[in-house]
Amino acid sequence: MRLLTIRTHCQARYGSENHMLRVAFRLLRHDIQVHAAFPQSEGTASMISDCQAAGVSYSPFDCDADTAAARCRQVRKLLHAIRPDVVQFTAGWPTQVIEPALGCALEGVPLLAVFQLAPKPISLSEQCRRRLSWARSRQQRWMAVSQQNLPHLQDTFAAHRDDLGILYNGIDIESCDERNREAVRRDVRVELGLPADARLLLTTSRLDPQKGHSDLLKIAPMLVEKFPDVRFVWAGGGWKGDLTERQRLESEIRQLDLQGWVRVLGYRNDIQRLLTASDLLIFPTRFEGGCSSSIREAMMHELPIVSSDAGGIPEVLRDGFDALLFPVRDIAGMVARISEALSKPDKMRSLAKRARVRIEEFSSERMVENYLTVLRDLCNRSMAEARQVPITANNPI
């Protein structure tokens, strides 16, 4: 099988991009020839080098033409160049699927489209919906990454429940070395200039209003007053060339006189080390597609978690059993849950142990088996159909 995996409209490497590569690299182990196509930029340089190291061919590509028709031609030109048996498209936003879906349908190439984020329904013209309905009928499978996002996609595309499915994201399960935990905890506190007995409340996500850092700042003063040994540590950068959110947050930190309690680290390549050194993950996100990779990584490291219930998070984390959850943007609820976590460390360690068992159900191995089932089914079905789609009166394109 020759697979083309596509990601458009990305200028930096974040969760959706890492997920795309995780799937691609795992598929290589199943004797699948994988070719990747995504934008070439400074922010995606590490993706390109990782593809080359793994043996995945790479082509610079983006749907960036001025018109929808021209963008569709860009997709068709890519398909002509690569000649894949099947395409897997990772959509960061629902409307990004339009040109890849139409391009694949016109070329008779099967498509698996996976929507990483669909926080609300999007208005599309009736003509666009008809065209996409036709495309879905041409050997395509469209998948959400959570039950929570599924009805939003149905509303956006006027699709029936049976037209869409779910493929949960997975994570590479690794054994965490407990022998060096205390040394790592000590070294990180020294590096950050924090007291040796400080409790680190870690948040790992890009600096974007979506992720709820501002909500966390609203409650930081009262938490610091109640628990003076805590320190908030934020790891993650912003979009390339956009320092506005970091500057805004740092200004707010100064206004609240919280410089000694909140550390904004920016992009880090040692997230695993920070997870090992921390006492609690706080994830106040306002909306998600599935369950964030930040959550899954913390689960794997047995780090206790307090999170909002955005997106597909409650489908992976069970409130009161694996972690403590609060309603999105519920400031009082967030205060209560974090206070409970800091007051009951033994309970939180028990929750974290159950979360570590739970994350095994969302391993990369299981995820890739689910992808393989869909991809093979698409390829098998397409073998019975012609690879060229005639333009007729019955064809709405």
Side-chain angles (χ1 to χ4, degrees), residues 9 62-75 98-99 102 131:
H9 303 86
D62 203 359
C63 280
D64 54 1
D66 292 336
T67 67
R71 292 191 293 272
C72 189
R73 287 194 293 271
Q74 288 179 311
V75 173
I98 295 173
E99 290 81 15
L102 294 177
R131 289 179 173 182

Side-chain angles (χ1 to χ4, degrees), residues 143-158:
M143 299 287 189
V145 294
S146 69
Q147 291 281 357
Q148 195 272 347
N149 275 198
L150 194 57
H152 299 160
L153 292 171
Q154 290 176 254
D155 290 346
T156 295
F157 300 115

Side-chain angles (χ1 to χ4, degrees), residues 75-104:
V75 173
R76 299 180 73 179
K77 182 178 179 180
L78 176 68
L79 296 175
H80 287 171
I82 307 302
R83 295 292 179 184
D85 298 310
V86 63
V87 172
Q88 192 269 303
F89 178 69
T90 301
W93 194 253
T95 53
Q96 292 174 5
V97 79
I98 295 173
E99 290 81 15
L102 294 177
C104 286

Side-chain angles (χ1 to χ4, degrees), residues 117 119 148 208-218 245 248-249 252 283-289 307-311 313 326-331 334:
L117 186 62
Q148 195 272 347
D208 185 280
Q210 171 197 346
K211 298 301 183 178
H213 295 86
S214 291
D215 295 335
L216 191 50
L217 277 182
K218 293 175 183 177
E245 183 66 6
R248 188 189 67 77
L249 290 170
E252 191 171 349
F283 201 66
T285 183
R286 295 173 177 176
F287 60 89
E288 293 290 324
S307 172
S308 76
D309 62 358
I313 291 174
F326 57 88
V328 171
R329 304 192 77 166
D330 182 348
I331 301 302
M334 179 161 45

Side-chain angles (χ1 to χ4, degrees), residues 114-371:
V114 182
F115 297 86
Q116 293 294 321
L117 186 62
K120 61 182 180 180
I122 297 172
S123 177
L124 297 177
S125 70
E126 187 59 33
Q127 181 186 53
C128 182
R129 286 176 168 175
R130 285 199 304 269
R131 289 179 173 182
L132 291 175
S133 177
W134 171 82
R136 281 198 306 278
S137 73
R138 302 296 303 174
Q139 296 301 337
Q140 297 191 8
R141 292 296 307 278
W142 291 17
M143 299 287 189
V145 294
S146 69
Q147 291 281 357
Q148 195 272 347
N149 275 198
L150 194 57
H152 299 160
L153 292 171
Q154 290 176 254
D155 290 346
T156 295
F157 300 115
H160 297 295
R161 175 64 181 83
D162 293 342
D163 292 339
L164 303 171
I166 296 177
L167 282 175
Y168 284 106
N169 292 342
I171 188 172
D172 295 336
I173 304 296
E174 302 172 358
S175 298
C176 300
D177 189 354
E178 295 293 327
R179 295 172 299 178
N180 298 323
R181 180 178 291 270
E182 289 306 317
V184 172
R185 288 174 61 85
R186 180 183 64 249
D187 292 346
V188 167
R189 284 160 177 75
V190 170
E191 173 193 330
L192 299 180
L194 302 177
D197 60 350
R199 286 192 283 179
L200 301 194
L201 312 187
L202 179 66
T203 299
T204 58
S205 66
R206 69 178 185 272
L207 298 180
D208 185 280
Q210 171 197 346
K211 298 301 183 178
H213 295 86
S214 291
D215 295 335
L216 191 50
L217 277 182
K218 293 175 183 177
I219 67 171
M222 64 185 80
L223 288 173
V224 166
E225 182 177 359
K226 186 175 181 180
F227 305 99
D229 61 332
V230 302
R231 299 295 186 274
F232 297 88
V233 177
W234 296 351
W239 296 113
K240 175 175 168 55
D242 181 12
L243 297 178
T244 304
E245 183 66 6
R246 177 166 184 167
Q247 292 169 346
R248 188 189 67 77
L249 290 170
E250 290 179 332
S251 174
E252 191 171 349
I253 290 168
R254 288 191 296 271
Q255 292 173 13
L256 294 169
D257 198 24
L258 289 173
Q259 299 95 313
W261 282 270
V262 182
R263 297 297 176 87
V264 183
L265 305 184
Y267 173 79
R268 298 282 293 211
N269 60 7
D270 62 344
I271 294 298
Q272 311 302 318
R273 182 166 166 262
L274 294 176
L275 289 166
T276 299
S278 298
D279 297 277
L280 183 67
L281 181 85
I282 303 179
F283 201 66
T285 183
R286 295 173 177 176
F287 60 89
E288 293 290 324
C291 181
S292 169
S293 58
S294 297
I295 296 284
R296 300 196 303 273
E297 289 174 348
M299 294 172 73
M300 188 176 67
H301 279 77
E302 283 190 32
L303 178 62
I305 300 168
V306 175
S307 172
S308 76
D309 62 358
I313 291 174
E315 297 170 38
V316 177
L317 282 178
R318 297 160 295 186
D319 184 31
F321 193 83
D322 306 304
L324 298 181
L325 305 182
F326 57 88
V328 171
R329 304 192 77 166
D330 182 348
I331 301 302
M334 179 161 45
V335 172
R337 287 310 215 180
I338 295 175
S339 297
E340 180 182 354
L342 293 173
S343 300
K344 300 178 179 179
D346 290 341
K347 173 183 177 178
M348 296 306 296
R349 281 190 288 270
S350 295
L351 298 187
K353 289 183 181 298
R354 288 199 285 264
R356 179 61 181 81
V357 175
R358 171 72 167 165
I359 196 60
E360 295 282 348
E361 300 177 30
F362 299 90
S363 67
S364 291
E365 288 82 2
R366 183 171 296 189
M367 172 189 69
V368 169
E369 286 299 329
N370 292 334
Y371 269 76

